[in-house]
């Protein structure tokens, strides 16, 4: 397994380089123009000069190379500098966003807190709710619990977040006035009352996202448990006199986790991709909002860097999932 | 003779400027008092500002946010008059500020204005601002405003003279309005040209003369500001701190001001009238509206966008349009439209039906009203007369094997899609079939020559969008429709003559306009140009004169919605109305 | 449905270990493709499946609702003849009346007619796109899981597709294919194919990862090793032994896939990639109605119910189908 992991990590490097090239070419090919949001009153010559100032006049391969150098060399140096107070990256051009003319990574860091608070927490809550629901639904298949669980999760998944979000705002912000409809990213949590404020502004977006995540994961959990509850080893375990709790929670659960681990591992990177619609509805302005505004403004360095970070997480978590398969089911061998 | 008329024009402008100034200074209702007495002000812009330097961005959201901090020498007031801000007065030929030959303008800065760091504003800063925007490789978004400036001469510490290379009948483009404020030379000295983007700190937190200073700038998210201690009026601003939140959508912004009362001011709420009414019923705030020069229009393609044509000639003047090149067809299409209903459904009080491309200022607005009444029967008769009949009985008129079927495109936007559906319905009633297409606005308004869906490329028969002009003078706007200014493959599909309109008479009139300085005469020519494009040829089919709708909280006083400048132009005068 | 509760915990031990694999292995003679569903012997496995399916009340109810919706949107235009695009500006924003049982929208278009027309599009897009994504996902997943040599390359491809930003990808696809498809198939079919292709091509990755994970585990199980040792060829191994055992996650993916496809379709039309804006679909109706949530709440309810019911019914059909295809449950 260790061999396999190391080999996979090594393969990841060319894979990621290839992915970054693919993303770059895709963005290059995609129609769009960083000047799209400039008013029509600005004459075309001025727009052309602005494009050239962004470096758009240079050939594709040079721009790709520049991005590689900036992202893989200058940015880590900067990070090192800021940790240890050195000045190695002095005077080197960092990855600069076209919209804000500021370093991309600083904005990304700025967006982390609200992304983790809202999207990350909702993912954890969603998973924590989904697992027991899935297990009980499968164990008591077709019980009232199962039926209600199925209904709620199916409706929760099929009604899109752009609708549930607005519905919650209308009920809880407009009519009842319990929660703010706009997320305050500048809120600093340093005492009890600010913590309560933070909780209040998080409730609705976290609920919407957690419902969506829980719906999906609980369905896979349930299906996979159902498959395993009928297997021979379950009968054997019961015959051995193991308690029902041990049989279900140890043997069956462990063997049912493979698809669930896959789904969860696929979901973790999307946490960092943000939740575009939910963030928009509640004005959370996390990484999802950052990505979508960058795409709309054709801010290529920002889109490229964000999607690449996203790609790294995807490769990493899929690797983690593959390693977990081996731990969950020792018969799985990759060598 | 020319000089004499120019003088008259300049005088007229100067006088109206003074009138505007007196009016805003009076500012009835503001009780006055010490700076910062009203605490916190919350503003929401559903498009989040990205940068505080208007020279590096074309986005309205950005220069409006910047206008809280940075100020120009003069602004436009809600009536479009010039109002001095950092300048003592608006220079005119009359007061000697503009030279008699119209090649220079001399600005005098007020004695008492200071930057927020306590240093005085000097003519050096004015000169620097010009250098900043015209520096090679800087990609200055407002470069067009500095066109024709030969030099900015420093006369003394507080006086600067701008020299033009040719006589300028309208010398107020540079240093006027929210898009071209004065930057502090000391702060931006190392940020010229290609180094402009490296000055992140300066671009996010510019030192200004305005009522507020930035305390925390989070790009595309939120800006926090506090009152400027060195602001020239000791009683202003009334608010100690300001939060300018960005993001979300117009509906959410309106809701936050008018229904939940979380915010005091929401910018640009383009929402269906009934949605706005419902929100206003929330009672926490009210919508406010004002009109500018923005006109929603249908542009007719005079060239053939047929996909089977080779890319070199498709949608260029080499291939005239099979039926839209006939005036009766264009006219019939315009006659079939009920602009009253469009306005009612899409804009409510924030819109007025119009038949003109230039709807304001009054001096330039023609009085065409023929199109305001819908005439389906007349349109049918007109097509009939032009030989377009339904020979094959498929419900669509045709002639010589050409069917009247159109591809009608627009950008993605709920109101535009409703308009498209309505117009398609009316066109069908006169026997014209339309296929609708909507394109994401970041593609539609982008200039990517590789995309088939940009409004410049115009691979459709008709398209709908809105456009306006900066300031109060429409010359540049009308010049867009000059022959040879059309987008075409040789120009990488850049160009502003979207319809590919080409008319010698029109171009001759444009030349005349550019040499005329007399205000009245300019108005006459502009009206004539406007009428050629609209009521005479139906090349452009204006639909709605669109106002700006924003919302303010009931207890926010001093707001004067301004469509000629930043909406936050007079934020220094805003105050909390006592309960 | 609750009557099954009692014997639930005892279910496992009731069945013999061999029956599980005896049925799929022996039902169809020769190398005939089971997937085709052409039963050769008089009483084939598919009759057993149907018998079992019939006893599943949830599945029957789901199938019934699904058929009703399907017939409704197919036959609807004959029963309700108002043109969904017809504008009646005087009747705008009307509530439910005799003339307009579901009310009208902000332009006075009949909501019932739009629901029917929208249903045709949404159902067609949802089902086809889901099937496409399922077929691609399952194929990639099974191949990667079963053949070790393909695993690396296919999973790296999956990583790549997961990493590509969706919006620019969609814009590139329109750029490359829209005009060509329009020219060949005409505007409506062309756009339909494009949408199905776009949704399918951007949503198969999750299924692929899940199926692969399951296949990796299943191919080490004893019965697979046993079948291998007697020289069963790969294609038969996959269709007989592997696929039936990864059916349940595929069914879940199918259910979730339909919901995703219907919603994604509405998102596409905002990019100018979907159907023209006057062409109703459920997702679009729901989105447009969200702005009017407070004034006309009934407008969001119709498309919301329609989408939820479709997804729920597919879910129950999937549940029943999975149970019916599981030989351990069948015949109980």
């Amino acid at each position: 397994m260790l061999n396999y992991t190391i080999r996979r990590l090594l393969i990841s490097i060319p894979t990621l380089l290839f992915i970054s090239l693919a993303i770059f070419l895709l963005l290059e090919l995609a129609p769009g123009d960083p000047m799209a949001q400039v008013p029509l009153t600005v004459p075309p010559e001025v727009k052309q000069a602005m494009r050239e100032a962004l470096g758009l006049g240079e050939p594709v391969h040079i721009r790709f190379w520049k991005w590689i150098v900036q992202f893989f060399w200058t940015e880590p140096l900067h990070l090192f500098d800021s940790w240890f107070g050195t000045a190695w990256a002095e005077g080197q051009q960092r990855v600069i966003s076209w919209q804000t003319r500021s370093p991309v990574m600083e904005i990304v860091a700025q967006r982390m807190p609200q992304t983790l608070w809202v999207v990350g927490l909702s993912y954890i809550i969603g998973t924590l709710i989904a697992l027991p629901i899935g297990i009980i639904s499968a164990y008591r298949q077709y019980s009232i619990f199962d039926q209600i669980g199925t209904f709620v999760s199916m409706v929760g998944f099929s009604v899109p977040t752009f609708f549930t979000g607005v519905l919650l705002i209308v009920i809880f912000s407009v009519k009842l006035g319990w929660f703010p409809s706009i997320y305050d990213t500048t809120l600093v949590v340093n005492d009890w009352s600010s913590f309560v404020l933070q909780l209040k502004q998080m409730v609705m977006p976290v609920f919407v996202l957690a419902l969506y995540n829980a719906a999906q994961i609980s369905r896979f959990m349930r299906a996979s448990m159902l498959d395993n509850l009928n297997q021979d080893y379950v009968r054997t375990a019961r015959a051995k006199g193991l308690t029902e709790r041990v049989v279900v929670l140890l043997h069956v659960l462990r063997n049912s986790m493979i698809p669930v681990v896959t789904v969860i591992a696929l979901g973790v990177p999307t946490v960092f991709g943000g939740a575009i619609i939910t963030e928009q509805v509640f004005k959370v302005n996390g990484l999802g909002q950052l990505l979508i505004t960058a795409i709309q403004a054709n801010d290529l360095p920002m889109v490229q860097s964000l999607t690449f970070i996203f790609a790294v997480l995807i490769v990493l978590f899929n690797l983690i999932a593959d390693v977990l398969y081996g731990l969950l089911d020792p018969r799985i061998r990759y060598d | 003779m020319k000089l004499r008329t120019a003088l008259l024009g300049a005088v007229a402008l100067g006088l109206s400027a003074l009138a505007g100034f007196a009016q805003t200074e009076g500012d009835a209702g503001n009780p006055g008092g010490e700076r910062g007495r009203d605490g916190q002000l919350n503003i929401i812009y559903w498009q989040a500002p990205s940068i505080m330097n208007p020279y590096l961005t074309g986005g309205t959201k950005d220069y409006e946010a910047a206008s809280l901090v940075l100020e120009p020498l003069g602004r436009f007031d809600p009536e479009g008059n010039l109002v001095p801000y950092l300048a003592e007065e608006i220079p005119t030929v009359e007061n000697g500020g503009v030279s008699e030959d119209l090649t220079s303008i001399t600005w005098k800065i007020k004695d008492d204005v200071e930057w927020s760091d306590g240093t005085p504003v000097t003519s050096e800063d004015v000169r620097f601002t010009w250098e900043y925007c015209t520096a090679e490789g800087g990609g200055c978004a407002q470069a067009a405003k500095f066109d024709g400036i030969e030099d900015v001469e420093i006369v003394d510490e507080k006086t600067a003279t701008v020299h033009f290379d040719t006589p300028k009948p309208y010398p107020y483009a540079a240093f006027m309005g929210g898009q071209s404020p004065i930057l502090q030379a000391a702060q931006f000295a190392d940020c010229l040209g290609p180094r402009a983007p490296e000055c992140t700190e300066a671009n996010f937190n510019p030192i200004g003369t305005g009522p507020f200073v930035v305390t925390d700038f989070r790009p595309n998210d939120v800006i926090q500001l506090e009152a400027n201690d060195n602001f020239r009026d000791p009683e202003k601003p009334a608010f100690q701190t300001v939060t300018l939140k960005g993001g979300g959508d117009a509906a959410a912004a309106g809701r936050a001001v008018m229904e939940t009362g979380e915010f005091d001011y929401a910018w640009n709420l383009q929402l269906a009238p009934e949605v706005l009414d419902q929100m206003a019923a929330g009672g926490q705030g009210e919508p406010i509206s004002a009109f500018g020069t923005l006109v929603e229009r249908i542009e007719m393609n005079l060239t053939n966008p047929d996909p089977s044509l080779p890319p070199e000639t498709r949608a260029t003047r080499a291939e005239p349009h099979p039926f839209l090149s006939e005036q009766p067809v264009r006219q019939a299409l315009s006659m079939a439209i009920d602009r009253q209903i469009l306005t009612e459904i899409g804009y409510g009080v924030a819109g007025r039906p119009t038949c003109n491309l230039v709807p304001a200022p009054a001096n330039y607005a023609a009085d065409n009203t023929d199109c305001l009444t819908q005439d389906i029967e007349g349109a049918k008769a007109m097509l009939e007369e032009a030989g377009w009949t339904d020979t094959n009985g498929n419900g669509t008129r045709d002639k010589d094997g050409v069917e009247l079927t159109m591809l009608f495109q627009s950008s993605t936007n709920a109101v535009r899609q409703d308009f498209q559906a309505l117009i398609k319905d009316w066109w069908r009633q006169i026997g014209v079939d339309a296929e609708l297409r909507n394109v994401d606005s970041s593609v539609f308004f982008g200039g990517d020559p590789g995309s088939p869906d940009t409004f410049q490329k115009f691979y459709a028969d008709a398209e709908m969008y809105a456009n306006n002009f900066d300031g109060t003078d429409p010359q540049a706007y009308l010049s867009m429709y000059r022959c040879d200014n059309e987008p075409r493959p040789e120009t990488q599909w850049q160009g502003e003559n979207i319809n590919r309109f080409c008319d010698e008479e029109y171009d001759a009139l444009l030349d005349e306009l550019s040499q005329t300085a007399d205000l009245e005469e300019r108005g006459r020519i502009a009206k004539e140009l406007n009428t050629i494009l609209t009521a005479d040829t139906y090349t452009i089919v204006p639909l709605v004169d669109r106002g700006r709708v924003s919302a303010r909280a009931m207890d926010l006083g001093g707001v004067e919605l301004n469509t000629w400048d930043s909406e936050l132009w007079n934020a220094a005068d805003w105050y909390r109305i006592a309960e | 449905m609750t009557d099954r509760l009692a014997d639930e915990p005892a279910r496992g031990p009731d069945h013999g270990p061999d029956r599980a694999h005896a049925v799929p292995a022996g039902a169809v003679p020769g190398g005939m493709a089971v997937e085709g569903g052409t039963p050769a012997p008089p009483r084939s496995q598919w009759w057993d499946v149907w018998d079992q399916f019939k006893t599943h009340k949830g599945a029957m109810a789901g199938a019934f609702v699904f058929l009703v919706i399907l017939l409704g949107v197919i036959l609807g235009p004959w029963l309700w003849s108002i043109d969904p695009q017809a504008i009646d500006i005087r009747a705008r924003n009307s509530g439910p009346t005799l003339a307009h049982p579901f009310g009208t929208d902000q332009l006075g278009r009949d909501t019932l007619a739009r629901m029917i027309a929208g249903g045709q599009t949404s159902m067609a897009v949802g089902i086809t796109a889901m099937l496409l994504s399922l077929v691609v996902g399952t194929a990639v997943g099974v191949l990667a899981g079963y053949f070790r040599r393909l695993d690396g390359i296919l999973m790296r491809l999956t990583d790549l597709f997961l990493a590509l930003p969706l919006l620019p990808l969609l814009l590139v696809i329109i750029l490359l294919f829209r005009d060509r498809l329009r020219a060949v198939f005409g505007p409506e079919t062309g756009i339909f194919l494009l949408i199905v292709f776009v949704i399918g091509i951007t949503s198969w990755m999750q299924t692929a990862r899940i199926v692969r994970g399951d296949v990796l585990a299943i191919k080490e199980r004893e019965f697979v090793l046993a079948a291998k040792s007697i020289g069963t060829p790969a294609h038969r191994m996959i269709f007989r032994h592997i696929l039936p055992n990864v059916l349940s996650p595929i069914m879940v993916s199918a259910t979730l896939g339909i919901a995703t496809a219907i919603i994604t379709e509405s998102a596409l039309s905002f990019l100018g990639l979907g159907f023209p804006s006057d062409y109703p679909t459920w997702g679009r109706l729901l989105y447009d109605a969200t702005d009017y949530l407070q004034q006309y709440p009934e407008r969001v309810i119709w498309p919301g119910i329609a989408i939820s019911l479709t997804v729920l019914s597919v879910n129950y059909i999937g549940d029943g189908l999975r149970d019916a295809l599981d030989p351990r449950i069948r015949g109980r």
Side-chain angles (χ1 to χ4, degrees), chain C residues 271-282:
Chain C
L271 300 172
L273 174 54
F275 292 100
S277 56
D278 56 337
Y279 207 95
T281 67
W282 286 346

Side-chain angles (χ1 to χ4, degrees), chain C residues 91-122:
Chain C
R92 57 195 286 247
N93 294 327
S94 118
T97 58
L98 263 184
H100 304 289
F102 281 21
T104 59
D105 70 357
Q106 72 277 8
L107 297 182
R109 292 174 291 199
D110 182 68
T111 307
L112 177 57
R114 287 170 73 72
M115 282 296 297
I116 293 169
Q120 291 177 351
T121 323
S122 287

Side-chain angles (χ1 to χ4, degrees), chain B residues 313-371:
Chain B
T313 59
R314 181 181 179 189
T316 65
R317 277 201 282 127
E319 296 280 352
H321 196 280
F323 53 86
L324 285 179
S325 49
E326 291 182 24
Q327 154 142 11
V329 177
R330 299 195 299 265
Q331 188 171 351
L333 291 174
S334 170
M335 286 162 79
I337 296 171
D338 188 338
R339 290 166 175 79
Q340 205 70 48
I341 286 187
L342 289 181
T343 309
E344 200 180 300
I345 285 187
Y347 299 100
V349 292
R352 308 188 273 227
T354 186
C355 301
N356 293 305
L357 184 62
V358 180
N363 184 40
Y364 298 104
D367 54 359
N368 298 315
T369 50
D370 294 349
C371 75

